Amino acid sequence: MQADWVKTLPAHPRRRDALIAGFWLVVGAAAWAAGFTGIWRQLAVIEAPRWWFLVTLAAVVALLLVRSRMPLLALALGACVAFVDTLLGASLAVVFAFTDLIYAAVKYGSAGAVRILLRVAGAAAVALAAAVVLVAPGHPTVAVALVQWGLIVAVSGLWGWNVRAERASTSAELARRHASDTRELRTRIAHDLHDLVANQIAVAGLHVEAAKLQAAKLGRPEAGSADGRLPVHDDRSAPGPRPELAALTQSLERAKSGTDRAHHELRGLISVLTLVDEADSGAPANAGEELAALANLLPAGRELRWVGSAEGTIGLALAGEQAARVRILLRALQELTANAAKHGSGDVEMRAELLGGDFETAAGRPLQITVSNPRRPGEHAAPSGTGLGIEGTRVLLESVGGRLRSSADGASWSAELELPILGARGRRATATEGKR
């Protein structure tokens, strides 16, 4: 039971921080009772009774309660407490507790917070070096104490940085293994679906088609038995096909329609799995050429109209994006363009806009693309499409955080997709995280 409680600590930061704060409170109280106060009396500028060190200890322990949930705030306030404690002469307990705040800030802080800490640490190092040079000739003991403080802070920060780097490296390795295992699983599933399911459905469809032919042959009045004699239940006087054969033919028609639809949907699912694997491979995609080639999906005499700066907007959004996201979005646009031509008539229109900002501040903002086509029954042709289908396209977009909505009425067919993009700042942050 106790071992299970310890294992759950990483998932409960409040409990973990409270445990650490309690530990430092006990250690600090013991150090205070043992007289480990005023360890740097040469830095003291305030004469105060020893119980003041209990006040600074209580203050720093209180900040330890939020060490992993608000690390930067806890460190900033902890630096103020440590500064006051140093002006009193410094106590060993507060110094040690403050090093834990430094460690937690570097380990748990966000990427932006850590960059701020690096700048502050650099400025503090320069100030410390200048202070040591200035006070060393006249007050060598003060210079030694300052150097000791600087080394303690540096070791704590490097300790936290090392743990943070190891955690990032482990997470990256686990993510790589997970992606590899997932890709292998998708490949195996696609292979099994193709060989074990799709082929069997296709064979079933062929048998149904053969049964339909046999039923049609038996339904003809002139159909006889293999030896030239009429079937036992043949009724030449009955006009048209026999009722039981007509019902059988209708059932076979429905069965064939079902197998054809199942085969089509299964092929679409296999295409989705295959495309995700291709996207994960990181193979580069030429967005400009792919966008220009969308017009080739339309029948002769019909055009793809880019409304406003839609083509340029999509190109800017895809610039610098991950290769997998680019390939998935381009494949989705191919399917939507083909479906617009299939379900509508006339020219296909495509609109695009970045919602809520520009491309420099677009991290996480959605790129919205709308594909539409008017409907005039009987005037549109049905191109072959890309084999994914609307549902398969929706699954693809959801795999990268996007979404898809499609609708059709008597006047038009339209589809709208949204895909969050990284944006310039988001791409820089992602690159920084990757290097770290």
Side-chain angles (χ1 to χ4, degrees), residues 71 83 119 136 142 168 182-183 188 206 251 280 414 423:
F83 179 73
R119 296 189 184 99
V142 173
T182 303
R183 188 160 49 248
R188 189 184 309 118
L206 292 176
S251 297
D280 286 345
S414 66

Side-chain angles (χ1 to χ4, degrees), residues 230-395:
L230 295 176
V232 175
H233 299 289
D234 189 26
D235 185 4
R236 291 180 178 269
S237 63
R242 289 180 292 174
E244 62 272 16
L245 289 179
L248 176 60
T249 301
Q250 185 179 18
S251 297
L252 291 174
E253 286 283 357
R254 293 177 179 177
K256 184 62 169 63
S257 176
T259 57
D260 289 344
R261 182 173 179 81
H263 189 259
H264 174 75
E265 295 294 337
L266 192 56
R267 290 290 181 182
L269 178 58
I270 294 173
S271 298
V272 170
L273 294 172
T274 304
L275 178 60
V276 171
D277 280 342
E278 292 175 357
D280 286 345
S281 68
N286 191 320
E289 293 182 0
E290 296 283 350
L291 291 175
L294 292 178
N296 298 331
L297 297 173
L298 305 182
R302 299 170 64 182
E303 297 181 357
L304 176 62
R305 294 175 51 200
W306 299 92
V307 179
S309 58
E311 187 173 8
T313 299
I314 297 175
L316 283 175
L318 297 182
E321 286 285 317
Q322 299 171 357
R325 295 168 63 84
V326 173
R327 296 184 70 87
I328 286 175
L329 179 59
L330 291 175
R331 189 61 181 271
L333 291 180
Q334 291 175 7
E335 181 63 30
L336 296 182
T337 302
N339 272 272
K342 177 180 179 181
H343 298 289
S345 59
D347 295 339
V348 175
E349 294 185 350
M350 187 169 298
R351 297 173 173 83
E353 65 174 321
L354 180 67
L355 302 181
D358 55 31
F359 287 99
E360 286 297 317
T361 60
R365 299 184 185 278
L367 171 69
Q368 185 182 84
I369 302 176
T370 303
V371 183
S372 62
N373 203 0
R375 301 185 70 183
R376 290 192 294 272
E379 294 184 9
H380 62 272
S384 60
T386 61
L388 287 179
I390 292 296
E391 288 302 320
T393 305
R394 181 177 289 109
V395 172

